[in-house]
Amino acid sequence: MKRIAAIILCSCTISCAQAQYYLRGEIRDENNNPMSNIKIVVHSSGYIYYSGSSGSFGITIPRGTDSITVAADGFELFNARVDASKYQYITLKSLFPAPPPLPKNRLISFTKNFKPEDWKGWTVGAETYSSLIENEFVETSRFPETDFSININKASYSNVRRFLDMESFVPPDAVRIEEMMNYFNFDYTAPVADSNFSFNSYLSECPWNADNLLLYLHVCAKKADIEKIPPANLVFLIDVSGSMDLPNRLPLLKSAFGLLVKNLRDKDTVSIVVYGSTVGVWMQPTSGGNKKKILKAIEELNPGGPTPGEAGIRAAYRLAKSQFIKGGNNRVILATDGDFNVGQTTEDELERLILTHRQWGIYLTCLGVGMGNYKDSKLEVLAKRGNGNFAYLDGEKEAEKVLMQEFTQTVYAVADDAYLDISFNPDVVKRYRLIGFDNKLQALSDSSKGIQGGEIGSGHSLVSIFEINPANQNLDLIQPGKKGFARADLHYRLPGDSIGRTTGYDFPFAASSFNELPSSYRFATAVAMFGGLLKKSPFMKDINWDDIIEMATQSFDPNDVSQKEFIELVDKAKKIYSKQKKKKKTKPEGEG
């Protein structure tokens, strides 16, 4: 009997020693947003756990009461005694000041305050685009100054190409003329020593309106010295949700990131965060020299699950912050079709989310893919608010262009918050209109609007065009006087620097015939006309597809593959849109 009692007592003791308790709870930030992939340390066992995609957790602890530490980069350390019989509500407090409200600077260009009429934006399937209002003519006597943001976004051109390659009409709101001209990087001219930008300009005839002139401004940013570029801390944030399970989505992104990896150096650091059926770190920070490991991690990605984009963005920024390189290139590269369906999903919600992290000094590059449910409007907001840039990958060639040929432009910034202020002399210019740089309907309706600067990449070349109505058709009679003809002031900051800088340029008042312009400016005009025709601009109603093809054929660079392709693209558009006109002219049955 004593032996049996001893065995029972020993069994009870062992059973009690091995007893486990289940602790459940959730982790949120001060704005009540769930926080995923947050580290939880149980003090009694030393075991480490992580919260799930919705911020919730369920972990085993050896005692009914225990103590835990919850740690997240950018937030105060949380220590507490916990009771397994109670559900835990944990709120982490940010180490940084509260994020600012949505700022005033939401416009791409700004000249006057007008109330636009209701605008019905286009939708294609489940794709979304921000409704745009085309810039109108402005009276110089009332509004002599206009501002517009400059950046390196080129997404619109490749997206337009995608529609035309599918023999489909292009939604007018998908056409952003400045991004289409940005695509070609015309005639780079290096700035002089100790300067960050070079300027050039031309004044010439307007091909679609004999009463007006075109004013061209060409701005080139300096090229960063590859040998002196500081180390990069890159976080690849990759959408692996179910919607990415198509050849032109996740497989294309795998190939694209594989191309980017080839440009990495030993001193660069790469991490991978994924979101889909799970949200978390797919690959821990790894040297850019270990290309085999990085490529293997990319290749093993598989799609599935919902699209918790918000949680993915938060996890990526936390990881980028934990590896932050002071004076380095700290950047999150988000690759997705933009179809966020879990967490914060509207443009305004995502804008606030990005603003929370922008103060950390981390850039954001967005790579869009896919069709049918592609969310252009969301990715555009994320890129602009994330102090970064935006490209659309419609195939392998575009991925190679963006991530290999133009790698330094895409990934390395030489200026932040850049915008141009142009002032015209009303004695010379009666009216003017900025071509492209059209604003969102929502921004124009906002009473707190202001200008929004952009990011300029290494070696970027920007051409902008104004259509102007001169004060006198006989230009020989115009004397600019002390005010001159027009002046440009470029405002910007150097990366990582809070000091605003300005560099200026005075436009010379010398007009030339259109045919005497350098070929690159004539080609840029053809691109602007192409965008205007696709948008059905009332300002370009007297031009046709053949006018554009002729102008581009006479001015394209035969050594530039993308310029050759442009002519083919215009011809495709001509055939697609000509069919539409023929259908309209066909009379219904029964009519004589």
Side-chain angles (χ1 to χ4, degrees):
M1 287 293 292
K2 288 183 179 180
R3 185 183 179 191
I4 293 173
I7 292 173
I8 293 173
L9 179 61
C10 182
S11 298
C12 291
T13 303
I14 294 172
S15 176
C16 291
Q18 293 179 341
Q20 291 186 327
Y21 296 84
Y22 196 58
L23 179 68
R24 296 176 63 250
E26 59 187 63
I27 303 172
R28 294 179 175 266
D29 63 17
E30 293 167 291
N31 295 318
N32 203 36
N33 298 308
M35 300 180 67
S36 62
N37 204 37
I38 303 302
K39 184 165 70 174
I40 306 166
V41 181
V42 177
H43 292 176
S44 61
S45 64
Y47 290 165
I48 298 174
Y49 302 89
Y50 292 87
S51 60
S53 60
S54 63
S56 60
F57 61 87
I59 60 179
T60 55
I61 58 177
R63 298 193 290 247
T65 58
D66 211 322
S67 59
I68 61 171
T69 293
V70 180
D73 292 308
F75 292 85
E76 293 180 8
L77 209 62
F78 179 88
N79 294 290
R81 295 285 299 174
V82 292
D83 186 336
S85 64
K86 298 177 181 178
Y87 190 85
Q88 305 296 314
Y89 294 96
I90 298 172
T91 300
L92 296 187
K93 296 181 179 180
S94 176
L95 290 171
F96 300 92
L102 286 178
K104 296 178 181 180
N105 51 342
R106 290 161 57 148
L107 293 181
I108 296 175
S109 59
F110 179 71
T111 50
K112 65 175 183 177
N113 181 17
F114 68 95
K115 296 180 180 179
E117 297 177 355
D118 289 342
W119 179 270
K120 295 182 180 179
W122 279 51
T123 59
V124 181
E127 296 191 17
T128 61
Y129 297 91
S130 299
S131 293
L132 302 176
I133 300 297
E134 189 170 15
N135 289 323
E136 299 180 357
F137 275 101
V138 175
E139 296 291 335
T140 312
S141 59
R142 296 183 60 199
F143 305 100
E145 289 188 40
T146 188
D147 297 344
F148 61 96
S149 170
I150 55 177
N151 54 54
I152 60 172
N153 294 339
K154 306 175 182 182
S156 181
Y157 183 86
S158 50
N159 193 27
V160 164
R161 180 176 60 201
R162 185 249 302 189
F163 278 105
L164 296 177
D165 283 344
M166 295 190 303
E167 298 186 358
S168 171
F169 298 115
V170 180
D173 286 333
V175 181
R176 296 187 287 272
I177 294 177
E178 73 279 6
E179 291 185 18
M180 296 181 71
M181 290 194 296
N182 260 348
Y183 189 82
F184 294 96
N185 217 43
F186 297 110
D187 288 351
Y188 179 79
T189 304
V192 297
D194 299 326
S195 295
N196 293 307
F197 297 94
S198 68
F199 296 87
N200 198 10
S201 66
Y202 283 91
L203 182 65
S204 187
E205 301 159 335
C206 177
W208 58 84
N209 189 333
D211 293 331
N212 289 344
L213 300 171
L214 293 183
L215 176 64
Y216 303 84
L217 176 61
H218 187 198
V219 180
C220 296
K222 72 174 183 180
K223 289 183 179 179
D225 185 343
I226 289 292
E227 299 301 321
K228 296 180 181 178
I229 288 177
N233 162 33
L234 304 177
V235 177
F236 299 168
L237 174 56
I238 304 176
D239 180 352
V240 293
S241 63
S243 67
M244 299 294 288
D245 192 12
L246 286 171
N248 64 345
R249 300 189 188 186
L250 187 57
L252 175 59
L253 287 178
K254 286 183 179 182
S255 175
F257 278 110
L259 294 171
L260 188 154
V261 169
K262 293 179 181 180
N263 283 299
L264 298 176
R265 305 158 299 177
D266 290 354
K267 64 181 179 180
D268 298 328
T269 301
V270 175
S271 314
I272 301 177
V273 172
V274 298
Y275 63 93
S277 54
T278 185
V279 178
V281 179
W282 182 260
M283 185 187 78
Q284 293 291 339
T286 302
S287 165
N290 196 347
K291 292 178 172 53
K292 186 175 181 181
K293 177 182 176 181
I294 300 171
L295 293 172
K296 183 174 183 293
I298 292 170
E299 190 55 39
E300 290 175 348
L301 294 170
N302 288 299
T307 316
E310 177 204 347
I313 290 170
R314 291 179 184 279
Y317 269 99
R318 282 197 298 271
L319 185 56
K321 181 64 170 62
S322 71
Q323 300 297 311
F324 191 86
I325 301 173
K326 189 173 181 180
N329 177 27
N330 300 278
R331 185 178 297 266
V332 172
I333 302 178
L334 167 62
T336 176
D337 58 13
D339 189 17
F340 302 162
N341 55 31
V342 176
Q344 295 175 341
T345 59
T346 69
E347 279 82 352
D348 279 351
E349 288 174 335
L350 292 170
E351 193 170 345
R352 290 183 187 278
L353 171 62
I354 292 300
L355 283 171
T356 304
H357 299 91
R358 180 177 175 172
Q359 61 189 337
W360 290 354
I362 299 169
Y363 294 89
L364 176 67
T365 289
C366 291
L367 303 177
V369 295
M371 62 182 71
N373 67 336
Y374 169 58
K375 309 300 183 189
D376 180 275
S377 56
K378 291 181 180 178
L379 292 183
E380 185 192 10
V381 164
L382 289 173
K384 287 180 179 176
R385 284 299 178 222
N387 206 23
N389 51 65
F390 173 32
Y392 177 80
L393 309 182
D394 61 337
E396 295 274 356
K397 288 184 179 179
E398 186 64 15
E400 182 177 351
K401 179 178 184 290
V402 172
L403 298 175
M404 282 199 73
Q405 298 171 12
E406 299 174 353
F407 176 74
T408 53
Q409 276 188 37
T410 304
V411 176
Y412 296 106
V414 295
D416 291 339
D417 297 332
Y419 71 93
L420 277 160
D421 176 81
I422 312 292
S423 57
F424 291 98
N425 182 348
D427 294 334
V428 181
V429 179
K430 182 179 179 181
R431 300 190 307 157
Y432 64 88
R433 180 178 78 88
L434 177 61
I435 298 174
F437 300 91
D438 300 322
N439 286 297
K440 296 179 184 178
L441 175 65
Q442 178 186 4
L444 284 169
S445 304
D446 185 353
S447 62
S448 65
K449 53 185 172 285
I451 198 66
Q452 171 181 311
E455 176 197 14
I456 303 298
S458 168
H460 182 58
S461 172
L462 167 83
V463 172
S464 56
I465 305 176
F466 283 90
E467 181 178 356
I468 65 174
N469 182 222
N472 192 316
Q473 291 301 316
N474 188 343
L475 298 183
D476 293 334
L477 298 178
I478 297 177
Q479 298 297 324
K482 292 182 180 180
K483 288 184 179 179
F485 161 45
R487 178 176 172 81
D489 286 303
L490 196 161
H491 303 271
Y492 67 100
R493 291 186 303 101
L494 295 178
D497 192 349
S498 60
I499 299 173
R501 298 168 184 259
T502 302
T503 182
Y505 172 77
D506 290 312
F507 290 85
F509 185 61
S512 60
S513 69
F514 187 79
N515 290 331
E516 292 175 346
L517 284 175
S519 58
S520 59
Y521 290 83
R522 286 182 280 130
F523 189 87
T525 308
V527 177
M529 289 165 62
F530 182 50
L533 215 51
L534 290 173
K535 290 177 74 71
K536 300 181 180 179
S537 169
F539 303 105
M540 300 184 187
K541 60 184 179 182
D542 294 329
I543 60 173
N544 57 50
W545 304 108
D546 289 331
D547 294 332
I548 300 170
I549 292 172
E550 181 181 2
M551 186 181 294
T553 301
Q554 293 174 355
S555 59
F556 83 101
D557 179 354
N559 297 316
D560 189 323
V561 175
S562 60
Q563 290 192 22
K564 284 184 186 177
E565 179 197 62
F566 172 77
I567 300 172
E568 298 171 2
L569 207 59
V570 180
D571 190 56
K572 285 182 183 179
K574 174 186 173 182
K575 292 173 182 176
I576 294 167
Y577 284 82
S578 295
K579 288 179 184 177
Q580 181 188 39
K581 287 186 177 180
K582 288 179 182 178
K583 287 181 181 179
K584 286 183 178 180
K585 290 181 180 179
T586 303
K587 293 183 178 180
E589 291 184 16
E591 288 190 9

